[in-house]
Amino acid sequence: MTRSTPAWAEGGDPRYLLGTDNQGRDVLSAILYGSRISLAVGFVSVVLAMAIGIVVGLVSGYFGGMVDAFFMRIADVMLSFPTILVALLISGIARGALPREMHDSAALIVLVFAITITTWVQYARTVRSSTMVERSREYVYAAQLVGRRPFAILFSHILPNVMGPVLVIATINLAMAILIEATLSFLGVGMPPTNPSLGTLIRVGNEYLFSGVWWVVIFPSLTLVALVLAVNLLGDWLRDALNPKLR
Amino acid sequence: MIAFILRRLIQSVLVMLAVALIAFSMFSFIGDPVNSMLPENASTEERQALREQLGLDQPVTVQFTRFVTGAVQGEFGISYRNKRPVSEMIAERLPATLELVLAAAVFALLLGVPMGIYAALHPRGILSNLLNVISLIGISVPTFVTGILLILVFSVWLNWLPSFGRGETVQIGWWSTGFLTVSGLKSLVLPAVMLGLFQVTLIMRLVRAEMMEVLRSDFVRFARARGLTNRAVNFGHALGNTLMPVITIVGLQLGSMIAFAIITETVFQWPGMGLLFIQAVSFADIPVMSAYLVLVALVFVAINMIVDLLYFAIDPRLSVQA
């Protein structure tokens, strides 16, 4: 038995600040490594979703017609279900498409994929509506007259003018991506215990809960809450900073 | 009126067909299910027999038609994992989830509505500010963390309430209920609180905003001018007009509560549909996943339609547009 309580509690070892689990693994270092994975999944999926959303939004907003109708119907369906359900379904399908022995090694990719596919819609919606406004501005007409190609107009003229709200959504979505990752891992369809994220740590720690070993589950949970709260506050701050009316 | 109902019905059927198409196309994303269902050394005849039994030897269009006809009759095929009919497995689990969602909704209303009314009547009170801060924190805490904290405090430390399962259930026909036994009711408390807590903050904010709006309106001022007591104005006049949109939102939330029950059921090992679904996801058991998807979509579509029709029945102005 190598389990120890947090350093300040009775039976604690000062070398393990937040205690260790039943196999003597340090909770604090597990949290540090786990947060790294949670943040990585969050950042990568936000960047990917933003890229997909921006391209789809620009194209549907600028060209309209069939392309627009196609993407927006998909968006309607996806937005009418709770995010977590969509993410679960997509990760379920992705796992089904992979052979069983790859589930653990590809977990990171599956998670990023599921979160990206679930969240690109919001960027696409926002970019689309601002693009539809920008489309009829003079500078766009001028660029068309000069003979710039549509994609050059989209990315070098319209894009910079629609980025403001996208950045705000991105920070809000970073908190949401971290939460979705944690929830999927907690439900057992995310990161495997061999390479745990915060959600996996909470899932594994939850099994110790009944023997009164609370620190293995509570500290990762508090870390997750602090992380989400911090990112949300960052989003609020960014929203105010980018809002010209408040300056 | 009849034309409106018909159009609304046709819309709903189209949405359900689209969902059915998504649910059906999930099957094509995974490899041959026969390989995962049979042992490695199964003979070609055995594979062929199972393929025919599952209907996988038919063309895609025939398979889709069969999927839809089956789904309409509540048949979703056989689970890849435990080789039982999916409809049977869902029917077993359905009562548990519905009772959980019902209890959570009642809890959320009983707590959220009074809190919202209080916050609207005393917008500058210390207690109102406190409620606001608590609800802000409540939104930032992931629901499963709330559940774990509830278990830690009430099951592990205080040992008041059970932390997993439904307790004893009573069978009424095919419906198994936990409402009639003491252990069933005790088991229901923590999961219902966890599932309802998020809705409490939502309902509280909604009631507060609506009620403050109504309290500013002319008919309330007129009621005050007539010299009615505060009590009669607040509860007789204002509250009734506040609750209409609240009931709508709560109705619409029921669908997402069924989806969020997945997390609650995992935390508390509650034997409902969500737990079945999450097991299906981790085993890539597509028939169960698609059945769950169709069922949840049906609940969403049905609730939306009922809300639309109710609005139509209540608000005569809508019939002019339609």
Side-chain angles (χ1 to χ4, degrees):
Chain A
M1 205 54 176
T2 45
R3 188 176 77 207
S4 71
T5 49
W8 61 87
E10 204 177 317
D13 186 328
R15 282 175 301 167
Y16 309 119
L17 273 181
L18 301 181
T20 63
D21 67 6
N22 278 0
Q23 277 134 32
R25 288 174 299 194
D26 184 36
V27 173
L28 180 59
S29 55
I31 289 177
L32 293 179
Y33 277 89
S35 318
R36 203 161 76 176
I37 293 178
S38 294
L39 279 172
V41 171
F43 274 115
V44 175
S45 48
V46 162
V47 169
L48 284 179
M50 197 159 81
I52 298 176
I54 286 174
V55 173
V56 170
L58 283 174
V59 169
S60 337
Y62 189 76
F63 296 109
M66 292 280 282
V67 191
D68 184 34
F70 173 73
F71 282 122
M72 288 309 117
R73 288 299 82 71
I74 297 182
D76 283 345
V77 172
M78 290 183 79
L79 286 176
S80 59
F81 288 99
T83 336
I84 189 67
L85 188 65
V86 180
L88 264 172
L89 273 174
I90 292 170
S91 78
I93 295 169
R95 288 162 80 89
L98 291 170
R100 172 130 316 169
E101 55 278 9
M102 276 179 67
H103 279 188
D104 282 359
S105 53
L108 200 74
I109 300 166
V110 169
L111 273 175
V112 169
F113 177 75
I115 297 171
T116 306
I117 300 294
T118 316
T119 50
W120 65 268
V121 182
Q122 292 160 13
Y123 302 98
R125 274 286 170 91
T126 316
V127 172
R128 172 179 174 268
S129 57
S130 353
T131 306
M132 287 168 83
V133 176
E134 298 294 321
R135 184 169 65 177
S136 45
R137 291 278 176 84
E138 275 98 1
Y139 74 90
V140 176
Y141 287 138
Q144 283 167 347
L145 277 176
V146 173
R148 296 214 70 180
R149 283 189 310 272
F151 280 90
I153 295 175
L154 279 183
F155 288 99
S156 64
H157 296 284
I158 296 184
L159 181 59
N161 289 303
V162 300
M163 272 309 274
V166 171
L167 287 178
V168 175
I169 300 182
T171 46
I172 297 169
N173 269 14
L174 179 61
M176 203 167 82
I178 293 174
L179 265 184
I180 297 177
E181 188 280 328
T183 310
L184 290 184
S185 292
F186 176 77
L187 293 175
V189 292
M191 296 304 291
T194 46
N195 193 14
S197 69
L198 285 176
T200 323
L201 288 176
I202 297 171
R203 169 190 174 79
V204 174
N206 196 21
E207 287 157 18
Y208 296 118
L209 197 57
F210 293 99
S211 40
V213 185
W214 51 271
W215 58 91
V216 181
V217 63
I218 292 303
F219 292 125
S221 304
L222 291 180
T223 313
L224 180 65
V225 173
L227 196 61
V228 173
L229 205 60
V231 176
N232 271 333
L233 289 176
L234 183 74
D236 273 1
W237 170 79
L238 194 67
R239 184 169 51 205
D240 292 349
L242 289 178
N243 189 345
K245 281 178 203 147
L246 288 177
R247 242 177 278 170
Chain B
M1 175 81 187
I2 292 167
F4 172 78
I5 294 175
L6 266 181
R7 206 168 52 222
R8 200 64 193 75
L9 268 176
I10 293 170
Q11 264 177 20
S12 307
V13 170
L14 282 180
V15 172
M16 282 314 293
L17 269 179
V19 172
L21 189 63
I22 297 172
F24 174 74
S25 57
M26 282 175 16
F27 285 90
S28 59
F29 279 106
I30 59 159
D32 196 348
V34 173
N35 286 336
S36 52
M37 288 171 80
L38 287 175
E40 297 264 321
N41 55 359
S43 68
T44 325
E45 288 80 40
E46 281 173 334
R47 284 170 191 279
Q48 195 53 38
L50 184 64
R51 198 162 280 145
E52 272 167 35
Q53 192 198 335
L54 296 172
L56 294 173
D57 52 342
Q58 305 285 334
V60 179
T61 44
V62 176
Q63 284 191 37
F64 181 61
T65 322
R66 271 172 51 168
F67 178 80
V68 172
T69 20
V72 170
Q73 297 162 5
E75 288 300 329
F76 289 94
I78 295 161
S79 158
Y80 290 167
R81 192 162 70 97
N82 32 13
K83 318 270 187 296
R84 286 177 54 207
V86 175
S87 51
E88 219 178 276
M89 291 164 67
I90 288 199
E92 264 169 27
R93 302 294 194 100
L94 188 67
T97 297
L98 290 186
E99 286 188 353
L100 173 62
V101 168
L102 182 71
V106 170
F107 163 76
L109 281 173
L110 285 183
L111 202 61
V113 172
M115 274 163 63
I117 295 175
Y118 181 87
L121 293 182
H122 313 272
R124 306 212 184 285
I126 300 169
L127 194 58
S128 302
N129 284 329
L130 195 69
L131 289 177
N132 263 334
V133 172
I134 292 174
S135 74
L136 267 180
I137 297 173
I139 289 175
S140 296
V141 178
T143 45
F144 58 92
V145 171
T146 320
I148 290 173
L149 290 176
L150 285 174
I151 292 183
L152 183 68
V153 174
F154 292 101
S155 300
V156 179
W157 286 349
L158 297 173
N159 207 4
W160 285 353
L161 295 162
S163 61
F164 65 92
R166 288 183 81 189
E168 283 170 48
T169 55
V170 178
Q171 208 71 28
I172 303 172
W174 59 275
W175 186 279
S176 66
T177 177
F179 285 156
L180 298 175
T181 62
V182 176
S183 77
L185 286 175
K186 275 174 100 176
S187 311
L188 190 62
V189 176
L190 289 183
V193 168
M194 171 186 160
L195 187 59
L197 219 48
F198 187 79
Q199 310 292 334
V200 170
T201 54
L202 185 84
I203 292 173
M204 184 197 123
R205 284 158 169 271
L206 193 71
V207 170
R208 177 170 171 273
E210 286 289 335
M211 185 119 177
M212 286 173 92
E213 195 69 39
V214 172
L215 284 176
R216 269 200 299 269
S217 62
D218 288 343
F219 80 92
V220 169
R221 276 198 297 198
F222 182 65
R224 284 203 202 288
R226 271 163 60 205
L228 292 177
T229 56
N230 268 338
R231 194 189 163 86
V233 174
N234 290 341
F235 294 96
H237 290 69
L239 186 59
N241 285 287
T242 307
L243 286 185
M244 197 49 223
V246 173
I247 288 168
T248 318
I249 299 281
V250 173
L252 290 175
Q253 282 292 315
L254 278 179
S256 40
M257 282 171 87
I258 292 181
F260 277 112
I262 297 172
I263 304 169
T264 311
E265 289 176 7
T266 311
V267 173
F268 290 95
Q269 290 301 302
W270 187 264
M273 290 194 302
L275 203 57
L276 186 72
F277 176 70
I278 200 71
Q279 284 159 355
V281 169
S282 53
F283 283 90
D285 191 350
I286 303 285
V288 177
M289 280 166 67
S290 68
Y292 182 85
L293 176 67
V294 171
L295 212 69
V296 170
L298 183 68
V299 172
F300 268 87
V301 168
I303 291 174
N304 271 319
M305 199 171 81
I306 292 169
V307 167
D308 272 11
L309 291 181
L310 270 181
Y311 262 47
F312 192 78
I314 291 167
D315 195 337
R317 282 169 299 183
L318 286 173
S319 53
V320 183
Q321 283 176 17

